[in-house]
């Protein structure tokens, strides 16, 4: 079993266990040279090219004359670099770039059920998104240039009305830091902060999923509506005449309430819902099938020789006998479960692993390959 007591440079020389115990959800952590000698994964132009795509979520934010403006992507032509006070935000860079995905996976001491994506922000001098707070944990890694961060544990999180962004109306800085390439700042949820570029800069944000219980509840009830079964039909053999035909009678209300109250959700129902919900691809995600897919036989031969890996865009989880991938779920036997759990945890399998796969698993792998959910390793 992987140990979490080993100090990590990424966390400033403390262990994941200590970080989660002392900082996670509790207080900020400034880490100088979390990744020593860090070099940007993407050039500014490569980031601009991503922002111009319609399958990539991006936003351009500008501030002028004391007014904030936001433009949603695709961003065909960002402002010229010599212009000040603007920022380009590109979400989910890990879905399109293997190096960005590898960087995100450095944070997998936290479960994939929480780890969300890697966002890259490019900012011209003075650029930022204003003082704000996030509803989730975030690691802010400086990739290029310098950025000044002002942070505050203030309780007043009221917002300026009428803005396209959630800008705090009364931000009061309590601490200030200037981050250089390789430096990283962790902030817990609801922690007010404001980042301002000092010259041209790029910042990488590792964000985490924190869905509201309202969102989860609505999605769960919608999920259960497809399988919910309540036997019987309303009947009232003891019905009495009424002088108030438009009124819903207490007896009617009670009978229906009693039947609905009999609905019970099993832990298995919630596990399957969560697995499908958490692996469901975002609306902007599109999978690409191989231009010339191999036949099932040749796929199996190549997979056994070189192994397979999940697509950057694929999400895979498991719980008990259930395995989930890209919003779909299926139950598996004990032997298949061990292999598929390993695949989900590693996100790849080598040829030796593939040689142990059952016929059913290989059929599934071939379908996932044809759908672009997994790829052959080279």
């Amino acid at each position: 079993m992987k140990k979490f007591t080993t100090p990590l440079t990424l966390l400033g020389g403390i262990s994941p266990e200590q970080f989660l115990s002392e900082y996670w959800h509790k207080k900020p952590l400034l880490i100088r040279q979390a990744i020593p000698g860090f070099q940007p994964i993407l050039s500014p132009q490569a980031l601009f090219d991503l922002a111009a795509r319609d399958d990539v979520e991006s936003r351009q934010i500008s501030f002028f004359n004391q007014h904030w403006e936001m433009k949603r992507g695709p961003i065909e032509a960002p402002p010229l670099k010599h212009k000040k006070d603007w920022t380009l935000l590109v979400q989910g860079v890990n879905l399109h770039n293997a190096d960005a995905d590898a960087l995100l996976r450095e944070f997998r001491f936290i479960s994939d059920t929480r780890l969300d994506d890697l966002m890259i922000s490019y900012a011209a001098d003075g650029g930022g998104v204003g003082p704000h707070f996030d509803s989730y944990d975030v690691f802010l890694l400086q990739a290029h240039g310098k950025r000044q961060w002002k942070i505050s544990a203030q309780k007043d999180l009221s917002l300026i009305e009428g803005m396209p962004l959630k800008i705090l109306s009364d931000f009061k800085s309590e601490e200030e830091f200037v981050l250089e390439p390789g430096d990283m700042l962790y902030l817990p949820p609801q922690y007010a902060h404001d980042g301002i570029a000092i010259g041209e800069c790029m910042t990488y944000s590792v964000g985490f999923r924190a869905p509201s219980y309202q969102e989860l509840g609505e999605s769960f009830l919608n999920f259960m509506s497809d399988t919910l079964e309540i036997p019987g039909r309303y009947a009232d053999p003891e019905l009495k005449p009424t002088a108030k035909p438009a009124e819903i009678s207490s007896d009617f209300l009670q009978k229906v309430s009693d039947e609905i109250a009999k609905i019970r959700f099993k832990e298995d129902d919630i596990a399957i819902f969560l697995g499908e919900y958490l692996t469901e691809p975002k609306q902007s995600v599109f999978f690409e099938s191989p231009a010339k897919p191999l036949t099932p036989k040749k796929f199996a031969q190549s997979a056994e020789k070189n192994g397979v890996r999940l697509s950057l865009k694929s999400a895979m989880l498991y719980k008990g006998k259930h395995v989930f991938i890209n919003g779909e779920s299926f139950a598996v036997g004990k032997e298949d479960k061990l292999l598929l759990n390993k695949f989900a945890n590693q996100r790849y399998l080598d040829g030796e692993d593939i040689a142990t796969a059952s016929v059913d698993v290989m059929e599934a792998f071939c379908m996932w390959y044809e759908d672009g959910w997994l790829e052959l390793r080279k």
Side-chain angles (χ1 to χ4, degrees):
M1 183 174 180
K2 190 173 182 179
K3 294 183 178 180
F4 296 99
T5 55
T6 303
L8 296 183
T9 302
L10 183 69
L11 296 175
I14 65 175
S15 68
E17 188 177 74
Q18 183 181 351
F19 169 75
L20 294 174
S21 174
E22 297 181 12
Y23 294 94
W24 181 255
H25 266 32
K26 302 172 187 71
K27 59 183 180 181
L29 177 62
L30 174 65
I31 307 159
R32 295 295 184 187
Q33 291 304 287
I35 304 180
F38 184 75
Q39 296 294 320
I41 290 168
L42 294 178
S43 67
Q45 186 57 55
L47 189 68
F48 300 159
D49 291 343
L50 268 183
R53 292 169 47 170
D54 58 10
D55 63 338
V56 176
E57 184 182 346
S58 61
R59 290 167 290 163
Q60 178 183 303
I61 297 168
S62 306
F63 182 70
F64 63 95
N65 294 331
Q66 301 302 307
H67 180 71
W68 292 93
E69 282 195 1
M70 181 175 71
K71 177 184 177 183
R72 295 192 178 276
I75 309 295
E76 298 292 343
L80 298 175
K81 290 186 179 181
H82 68 266
K83 296 284 187 181
K84 291 188 175 185
D85 302 335
W86 65 272
T87 296
L88 178 68
L89 306 176
V90 182
Q91 298 280 163
V93 178
N94 54 290
L95 302 176
H96 307 279
N97 182 280
D99 291 334
D101 180 76
L103 176 59
L104 181 69
R105 304 298 165 188
E106 290 293 317
F107 295 83
R108 287 185 89 201
F109 55 87
I110 296 170
S111 169
D112 287 349
T113 59
R114 295 283 274 111
L115 193 59
D116 191 10
D117 75 341
L118 178 73
M119 180 185 78
I120 296 182
S121 70
Y122 171 92
D125 186 38
V129 298
H132 65 287
F133 68 91
D134 297 315
S135 299
Y136 49 85
D137 306 81
V138 64
F139 288 94
L140 301 160
L141 173 66
Q142 193 61 24
H144 171 71
K146 299 180 181 180
R147 186 184 288 272
Q148 180 188 51
W149 286 101
K150 300 178 180 181
I151 67 174
S152 173
Q154 66 190 61
K155 301 301 182 184
D156 180 8
L157 299 178
S158 54
L159 305 174
I160 300 175
E161 294 183 4
M163 289 288 183
L165 300 167
K166 294 182 178 180
I167 306 294
L168 291 168
S169 59
D170 189 22
F171 176 66
K172 295 178 180 178
S173 175
E174 296 174 352
E175 294 182 85
E176 297 184 11
F177 314 100
V178 173
L179 268 61
E180 300 187 11
D183 293 342
M184 186 166 70
L185 176 64
Y186 161 76
L187 294 174
Q190 313 293 314
Y191 214 94
H193 54 286
D194 185 18
I196 301 171
I198 302 174
E200 178 190 56
C201 86
M202 285 195 288
T203 304
Y204 294 3
S205 301
V206 175
F208 295 82
R209 298 185 69 162
S212 68
Y213 286 123
Q214 178 71 25
E215 177 185 341
L216 288 170
E218 291 177 0
S219 298
F220 176 67
L221 292 177
N222 184 60
F223 166 81
M224 288 302 298
S225 67
D226 294 332
T227 57
L228 185 64
E229 292 184 8
I230 306 176
R233 183 180 295 274
Y234 180 83
D236 46 12
E238 72 289 350
L239 187 64
K240 301 291 192 294
T242 180
K244 299 176 181 178
E247 182 183 28
I248 298 174
S249 71
S250 297
D251 287 342
F252 193 112
L253 182 62
Q254 188 62 53
K255 280 191 173 185
V256 175
S257 296
D258 289 345
E259 293 304 312
I260 291 178
K262 292 178 183 178
I263 298 173
R264 293 291 183 270
F265 302 124
K266 297 176 291 187
E267 185 175 293
D268 213 38
D269 294 327
I270 298 175
I272 295 172
F273 157 70
L274 279 176
E276 295 186 5
Y277 174 87
L278 292 171
T279 60
E280 180 70 27
K282 296 180 180 180
Q283 290 185 344
S284 60
V285 171
F286 299 93
F287 290 94
E288 296 181 8
S289 300
K292 295 181 179 180
L294 300 176
T295 64
K297 183 178 180 179
K298 288 187 176 180
F299 166 79
Q301 292 172 344
S302 182
E304 192 166 335
K305 179 181 179 181
N306 300 311
V308 297
R309 65 186 175 202
L310 286 174
S311 161
L312 297 181
K313 299 176 182 178
S314 283
M316 189 174 181
L317 299 171
Y318 61 86
K319 178 62 178 176
K321 65 180 180 180
H322 301 289
V323 174
F324 313 96
I325 181 168
N326 297 334
E328 296 187 5
S329 64
F330 52 95
V332 296
K334 185 176 180 179
E335 291 186 5
D336 289 346
K337 168 183 164 57
L338 292 175
L339 181 64
L340 291 167
N341 288 3
K342 184 177 183 179
F343 193 21
N345 284 321
Q346 291 188 165
R347 295 185 62 82
Y348 73 89
L349 292 172
D350 58 28
E352 293 180 359
D353 294 320
I354 295 296
T356 68
S358 68
V359 173
D360 288 342
V361 167
M362 285 307 298
E363 286 181 355
F365 282 177
C366 189
M367 288 175 57
W368 297 353
Y369 158 73
E370 292 170 352
D371 291 337
W373 290 9
L374 67 73
E375 303 164 354
L376 290 163
R377 298 179 76 192
K378 297 178 180 178

